[in-house]
Amino acid sequence: MNALTLEEQHKLVREKFPELLEEVRQLKHREEKALPPLPNVSKYRVVRTRFAPNPDFYIHLGNARPALLSYEYAREYRGAFILRFEDTDPRIKKPLPEAYRAIREDLKWLGISWSEEYVQSMRMELYYGIARELISRGGAYVDLCKRDEFRKFKLERRACPHRSQSPSEALELFDRMLSNYYGEGEAVVRVKTDLTSEDPSLIDWVALRVIDTSKYPHPLTGDRYVVWPTYNFAAGVDDKLMEVTHILRGKEHALNTVKQLYVYRALGWEYPEVINLGRLKLEGVILSKSRIKEVLKSSGGAIEVDDPRFGTLRSLRRRGISPEVIREIIMEVGVKGTDATISWENIASLNRKRIDLSTPRVMAVFNPVRVVVRGVPKESSYRSLKLGYHPSNASLGFRVVNLGASDDVEVFISREDLDYLLKDGSIRLMEFCNIALEGRSRDHVEARYAGTDLEVARREGFKIVQWVPVSGYTVIELVKPENLKLRVLRGVVEESIMEFGVGRVLQLVRVGFIKLERLYKEKGRVRAIYIHD
RNA sequence: GCCGCGGUAGUAUAGCCCGGCCAAGUAUGCGGGCCUUUCGAGCCCGUGACCCGGGUUCAAAUCCCGGCCGCGGCACCA
């Protein structure tokens, strides 16, 4: 077969086994999992996308969807991807100073890079300029009604008295706003929309409002500005100024597109293409920003933002989920308006495949029971075991497990595995030897060495169990998130675990994957977080 | 309540625009087997879905209408 040229081989396969070729084709297709084409790409010189988070908190898996998809599209079309911080509400959604940095970090962790970065609170003069332009074109006015008064007009589909002001009057009032003449709630800039709109929230929506920054200083600009653009104004303007061509955002923004369209029309701009994405949920964790904030607050600092019960990217990172898995999941979920609940099983499976080959394996025992094994030969090959860290990846090295020189060898096995010993009379200590039950006392079990032959164990159907030598062990505390609770399992683990550093992912044989979080070398104790089976 | 967007196996997704090649593909889960010094990985076999009802058509997951369900929106938040 190999004597044939590649072309001849292909020909042969095509003739004799066309279905094979089809299979290969499909396999390739699945690996690539290309995104659907973006609409109207040919209309634009270059594709430009953006991710525009509010830096009032850390970002979570739900935010990763628009971020990653926007980035991927920009890459696919060799365009540009922009990061824009939308921090124009120092009062209700006050920016969190560390969030700017944290969001950048989290995006980088996801493998996202951006060529341009903007912070809206540093662009205030730009928004004022566009506001003036809009006002002078008659597209907006300064409303001095009380909030309730305006609501009445709105619900009756009537214009408020200020709506009829001339552009020059409006500009004057706007300048007065900027000069800090009005207090909060006393003046807003409203965009003129269709007064007959069915949805009242659409009607003459607020583009800029007064926020008393002497009371609510902005973390970046302090009290320098008192007139702040709303989301719809700032985002709408910026998408134009930054020449964004394709907006991918959550479907909660659907109505915002309609609102912003009024500004675009008034200024003679063309609105970018919009794709509304469904929400992403992650099974068994808290995703909502507000819920996380609540939990954080009520814990009084005991719970941190990377707590494994949260769906923040930091939590996922802490739980040992690799960023490629998140990327894979989001590409799988794709570009559509349907919500998706990501199952932890799915994440675990993808993650396991990714890390299995590069993850050292050590033995740990929970619910330990002491087993005294009599009759283990005293030759060093029986008392000093050289065990590889991975059965098929020798590059991970090995450790030496020392069993001491005394007559008996003592090991811990788990209470569950003890049942096999009691029931079957024999078990195999993995990578060591077979043992047979001899007796049982209050605090330990007695057994006899029964040879190292694996074939015997196989033939007889002995359960093969992991174990930890009593002569050299480390205590392990394993934190396991379960239904929004954290269980801490205590057990023993081979002392060689101390060789690994904090952050290292390991597999505890027959237990699951873990990530080391703390090493207390003097105390012979480690703390780890459970990742998945 | 009103408006918008959706509904393919337990979960996620392909197919829907352009009806037949779909008695519906893939991944995960679950069951079984092989392999393996793990209950992991890998390989093989099996399991399981087009929300409901009408209509159009020779033919509907795909088009049309109605219903149901889910999500989102209805701020001087983003």
Side-chain angles (χ1 to χ4, degrees):
Chain A
M1 186 63 160
N2 290 328
L4 302 171
T5 67
L6 209 61
E7 191 47 44
E8 286 168 322
Q9 291 183 28
H10 271 289
K11 198 174 164 213
L12 197 71
V13 171
R14 263 200 305 276
E15 282 165 8
K16 306 247 173 174
F17 312 104
E19 70 282 5
L20 280 183
L21 229 62
E22 176 60 17
E23 265 176 46
V24 169
R25 202 187 57 78
Q26 285 188 354
L27 272 171
K28 278 192 178 158
H29 184 71
R30 181 161 23 105
E31 276 167 26
E32 283 156 19
K33 177 76 184 172
L35 292 168
L38 239 25
N40 296 322
V41 168
S42 58
K43 248 174 74 180
Y44 306 93
R45 270 198 328 278
V46 59
V47 167
R48 290 171 61 84
T49 62
R50 46 71 158 185
F51 176 57
N54 181 344
D56 67 336
F57 201 61
Y58 298 79
I59 51 175
H60 52 75
L61 182 69
N63 304 113
R65 188 178 191 180
L68 221 31
L69 289 174
S70 300
Y71 169 70
E72 281 303 323
Y73 270 124
R75 231 168 46 125
E76 195 168 302
Y77 286 97
R78 300 181 193 287
F81 173 70
I82 300 164
L83 173 61
R84 183 171 78 218
F85 289 106
E86 307 211 319
D87 56 349
T88 59
D89 182 9
R91 183 172 47 191
I92 300 170
K93 290 197 173 168
K94 197 184 187 69
L96 189 66
E98 70 258 35
Y100 296 86
R101 179 188 47 80
I103 290 170
R104 288 186 200 108
E105 267 176 25
D106 290 344
L107 292 175
K108 281 183 195 152
W109 176 70
L110 279 176
I112 293 177
S113 55
W114 50 99
S115 49
E116 295 164 43
E117 180 180 311
Y118 303 93
V119 177
Q120 286 189 327
S121 60
M122 313 294 263
R123 299 166 55 82
M124 300 292 279
E125 307 295 343
L126 244 33
Y127 306 125
Y128 296 158
I130 301 291
R132 280 202 182 86
E133 172 73 18
L134 184 66
I135 293 169
S136 49
R137 286 184 181 226
Y141 59 99
V142 175
D143 176 28
L144 302 174
C145 292
K146 292 267 177 307
R147 205 189 282 230
D148 292 345
E149 289 174 60
F150 183 83
R151 188 173 5 237
K152 257 175 61 188
F153 288 120
K154 180 165 81 173
L155 292 177
E156 291 165 8
R157 302 296 187 275
R158 282 167 46 212
C160 98
H162 306 95
R163 200 180 205 258
S164 55
Q165 65 200 188
S166 70
S168 56
E169 281 174 306
L171 279 174
E172 211 166 296
L173 289 169
F174 181 55
D175 283 333
R176 197 176 279 184
M177 277 176 80
L178 292 175
S179 71
N180 207 356
Y181 178 87
Y182 297 108
E184 287 185 3
E186 289 174 5
V188 294
V189 175
R190 289 189 180 276
V191 175
K192 285 188 195 167
T193 69
D194 183 357
L195 280 183
T196 63
S197 231
E198 281 190 35
D199 189 332
S201 81
L202 229 50
I203 295 177
D204 287 14
W205 54 271
V206 173
L208 299 107
R209 80 289 208 196
V210 174
I211 293 176
D212 183 353
T213 38
S214 65
K215 246 161 65 194
Y216 309 101
H218 189 285
L220 263 38
T221 60
D223 61 358
R224 193 147 92 227
Y225 304 105
V226 290
V227 175
W228 288 85
T230 59
Y231 163 77
N232 274 309
F233 190 68
V237 166
D238 273 346
D239 283 331
K240 172 64 186 179
L241 297 185
M242 296 172 191
E243 300 183 289
V244 170
T245 60
H246 297 262
I247 301 171
L248 291 101
R249 61 183 163 202
K251 63 182 177 185
E252 65 271 20
H253 289 293
L255 190 63
N256 291 329
T257 304
V258 182
K259 288 189 183 176
Q260 291 169 212
L261 231 25
Y262 287 99
V263 174
Y264 272 67
R265 274 199 292 261
L267 294 170
W269 296 348
E270 200 170 333
Y271 204 81
E273 315 294 326
V274 185
I275 295 169
N276 295 125
L277 302 168
R279 316 262 286 199
L280 222 50
K281 285 189 286 258
L282 177 56
E283 199 179 52
V285 303
I286 304 173
L287 217 59
S288 130
K289 208 185 249 187
S290 53
R291 278 280 293 136
I292 293 176
K293 282 180 171 175
E294 272 171 40
V295 173
L296 249 30
K297 199 172 167 195
S298 65
S299 84
I303 296 179
E304 294 181 68
V305 71
D306 64 349
D307 188 277
R309 288 162 292 188
F310 297 150
T312 60
L313 292 177
R314 298 175 106 75
S315 300
L316 295 173
R317 186 184 337 174
R318 182 169 168 205
R319 287 183 78 161
I321 302 308
S322 62
E324 292 82 8
V325 167
I326 293 173
R327 190 178 168 279
E328 231 178 311
I329 293 257
I330 282 170
M331 295 298 269
E332 167 79 18
V333 167
V335 192
K336 49 181 207 173
T338 36
D339 299 349
T341 306
I342 306 305
S343 73
W344 200 253
E345 275 170 348
N346 232 298
I347 289 197
S349 163
L350 291 173
N351 200 59
R352 201 157 41 217
K353 277 173 198 159
R354 217 165 261 286
I355 64 179
D356 181 67
L357 197 61
S358 57
T359 304
R361 300 168 185 199
V362 295
M363 297 190 284
V365 169
F366 293 87
N367 289 322
V369 178
R370 198 156 54 92
V371 179
V372 177
V373 183
R374 305 197 193 289
V376 177
K378 292 215 173 174
E379 286 89 339
S380 71
S381 63
Y382 291 88
R383 297 304 181 109
S384 185
L385 308 173
K386 186 177 160 183
L387 305 180
Y389 273 126
H390 194 286
S392 50
N393 183 359
S395 72
L396 290 176
F398 61 89
R399 78 282 194 190
V400 174
V401 178
N402 285 307
L403 301 176
S406 43
D407 291 344
D408 302 333
V409 169
E410 296 190 19
V411 299
F412 292 112
I413 65 170
S414 75
R415 177 155 292 284
E416 300 80 67
D417 288 334
L418 173 64
D419 289 341
Y420 291 109
L421 180 57
L422 297 177
K423 193 173 73 201
D424 302 339
S426 298
I427 54 173
R428 179 178 178 80
L429 300 179
M430 187 182 288
E431 302 199 78
F432 179 28
C433 69
N434 305 325
I435 60 172
L437 180 68
E438 281 208 321
R440 191 177 179 184
S441 68
R442 222 171 347 162
D443 68 341
H444 70 277
V445 173
E446 292 177 3
R448 173 151 293 277
Y449 168 80
T452 56
D453 196 341
L454 175 60
E455 288 313 309
V456 172
R458 283 229 179 102
R459 194 168 58 239
E460 303 291 331
F462 296 165
K463 194 73 182 176
I464 297 169
V465 309
Q466 84 280 13
W467 51 280
V468 173
V470 176
S471 57
Y473 68 87
T474 290
V475 171
I476 181 168
E477 289 169 355
L478 188 57
V479 179
K480 193 172 187 177
E482 266 177 14
N483 300 321
L484 303 186
K485 290 215 168 65
L486 289 184
R487 259 181 69 195
V488 180
L489 307 172
R490 286 189 174 71
V492 293
V493 62
E494 293 178 56
E495 58 189 353
S496 67
I497 197 167
M498 287 294 184
E499 290 173 13
F500 300 102
V502 165
R504 183 65 187 242
V505 174
L506 301 170
Q507 185 185 161
L508 300 184
V509 173
R510 295 177 73 225
V511 174
F513 290 82
I514 62 153
K515 187 169 151 203
L516 288 178
E517 294 215 305
R518 287 242 164 77
L519 300 177
Y520 306 93
K521 295 215 173 172
E522 348 44 76
K523 293 185 194 154
R525 189 157 62 86
V526 299
R527 195 174 175 85
I529 186 163
Y530 183 81
I531 303 179
H532 48 63
D533 289 346

